[in-house]
């Protein structure tokens, strides 16, 4: 299927691949194959939004090649496909090895691809591109499991940032998968009368399943984030509990040290206290009692006992009401 443009006159299918995104070659092919100007501009501007446009003499499709540079970095490269009658033009950057994808297609369906129309190669390429997305989900799943384990062992601030990065990556994947499913859906409805529509159905089922997986991973990531926040809250509560214990121990000692450190108080003659010391102690007692009553009024103290009492009182009312109903029925 790979040959010269002159082979079209002899009834052959041809495939022209431009692996380096050469603008001069693209413009030359656009002139020879009468490619749509807007589609060519989209290709030259290196748009990375999956889409499909159908014109009078050809169909223009943008697909994405996605792979993980590392667990937190997603690399996205666009693949542009111009499909016409008996010809296919593909444009992509040098980072995309489309020839490897084509060789795999030929090895799996050698005779079928060679003996059918050029659409078979086009659909098979779409299917192979979507199949490679499963590797992204495998990496995403491993990252989710790793962060979940780290969160349970010892939550660290860096983990929270990594979880946010992973969440943004899942959202990006879901958005790209949605656009790609829209592209496949258009092909599924416009090419439903052709023989090779079965390839499109397979691609549609695969991308729909990938979207379901991504959405489930998003829920898991959100659960990990909530678990992380809960774990950090427990650590903070434990720290505050320890500090409260130390404070409760030191406060009485500080109070005693403050009282006995007052000027005018003679520890050798403790029975005779100056009037000023008595006034200070009485003022402290009044302030303490006033604060206790204030806390009780605000339900900061003894609130639990009040709630339990109200609950018991409500249960007694319910039991009494039920006994009255049973008495009336009898």
């Amino acid at each position: 299927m790979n040959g010269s443009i002159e082979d079209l006159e002899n009834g052959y299918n041809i495939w022209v691949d431009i692996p380096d995104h050469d603008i001069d070659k693209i413009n030359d092919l656009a002139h020879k194959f009468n490619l749509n100007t807007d589609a060519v501009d989209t290709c030259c501007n290196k748009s990375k939004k999956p889409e499909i446009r159908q014109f009078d003499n050809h169909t223009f499709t943008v697909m994405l090649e996605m792979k993980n540079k590392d667990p937190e970095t997603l690399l996205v490269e666009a693949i542009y496909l111009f499909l016409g009658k008996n010809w296919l033009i593909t444009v992509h950057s040098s980072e995309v090895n489309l020839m490897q994808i084509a060789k795999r297609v030929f090895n799996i369906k050698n005779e079928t691809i060679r003996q059918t129309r050029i659409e078979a190669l086009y659909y098979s390429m779409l299917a192979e591109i979507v199949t490679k997305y499963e590797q992204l989900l495998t990496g995403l799943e491993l990252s989710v499991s790793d962060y979940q384990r780290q969160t349970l062992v010892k939550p660290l601030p860096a983990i929270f940032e990594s979880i946010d990065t992973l969440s943004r990556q899942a959202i990006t994947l879901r958005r790209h998968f949605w656009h790609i499913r829209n592209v496949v859906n258009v092909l599924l409805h416009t090419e439903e009368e052709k023989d090779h529509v079965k390839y499109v159905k397979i691609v549609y089922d695969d991308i729909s399943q990938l979207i379901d997986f991504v959405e489930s991973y998003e829920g898991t990531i959100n659960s990990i984030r909530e678990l992380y926040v809960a774990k950090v809250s427990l650590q903070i509560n434990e720290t505050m509990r320890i500090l409260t214990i130390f404070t409760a121990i030191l406060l009485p000692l500080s109070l005693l040290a403050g009282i006995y450190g007052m000027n005018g108080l003679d520890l050798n003659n403790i029975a005779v206290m100056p009037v000023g010391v008595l006034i200070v102690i009485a003022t402290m007692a009044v302030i303490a009692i006033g604060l206790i009553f204030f806390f009780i009024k605000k339900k900061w103290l003894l609130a639990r006992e009040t709630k339990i009492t109200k609950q018991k009182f409500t249960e007694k009312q319910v039991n009494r009401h039920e006994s009255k109903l049973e008495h009336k029925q009898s």
Side-chain angles (χ1 to χ4, degrees), residues 180-304:
I180 293 172
R181 185 171 64 176
N182 292 336
V183 171
V184 178
N185 191 34
V186 171
L187 290 174
L188 187 62
H189 287 82
T190 57
E191 310 290 335
E192 57 184 357
E193 297 180 357
K194 294 186 178 180
D195 296 334
H196 302 291
V197 71
K198 60 182 180 180
Y199 296 110
V200 184
K201 292 181 179 179
I202 294 174
V203 175
Y204 185 84
D205 293 338
D206 290 342
I207 196 66
S208 298
Q209 188 176 19
L210 293 177
I211 291 174
D212 293 337
F213 283 148
V214 171
E215 290 177 349
S216 66
Y217 290 147
E218 283 185 300
T220 304
I221 292 171
N222 292 331
S223 299
I224 294 175
R225 183 187 288 108
E226 294 175 358
L227 181 62
Y228 175 85
V229 173
K231 189 74 174 179
V232 172
S233 298
L234 288 176
Q235 287 187 346
I236 294 175
N237 292 338
E238 183 66 18
T239 302
M240 294 304 297
R241 186 179 69 85
I242 296 173
L243 293 176
T244 303
I245 292 174
F246 279 109
T247 303
I249 294 173
L250 294 176
L251 274 178
L253 303 179
S254 301
L255 178 62
L256 293 175
I259 293 175
Y260 285 101
M262 291 181 182
N263 294 329
L265 181 62
D266 188 5
L267 296 178
N268 295 324
N269 190 12
I270 195 68
V272 180
M273 287 190 179
V275 178
V277 174
L278 295 175
I279 293 174
V280 170
I281 294 175
T283 304
M284 293 169 61
V286 170
I287 293 174
I289 295 172
L291 289 175
I292 291 174
F293 279 110
F294 176 77
F295 293 154
I296 293 175
K297 184 177 180 181
K298 289 290 185 179
K299 296 183 180 180
W300 295 349
L301 290 176
L302 304 178
R304 184 178 300 178

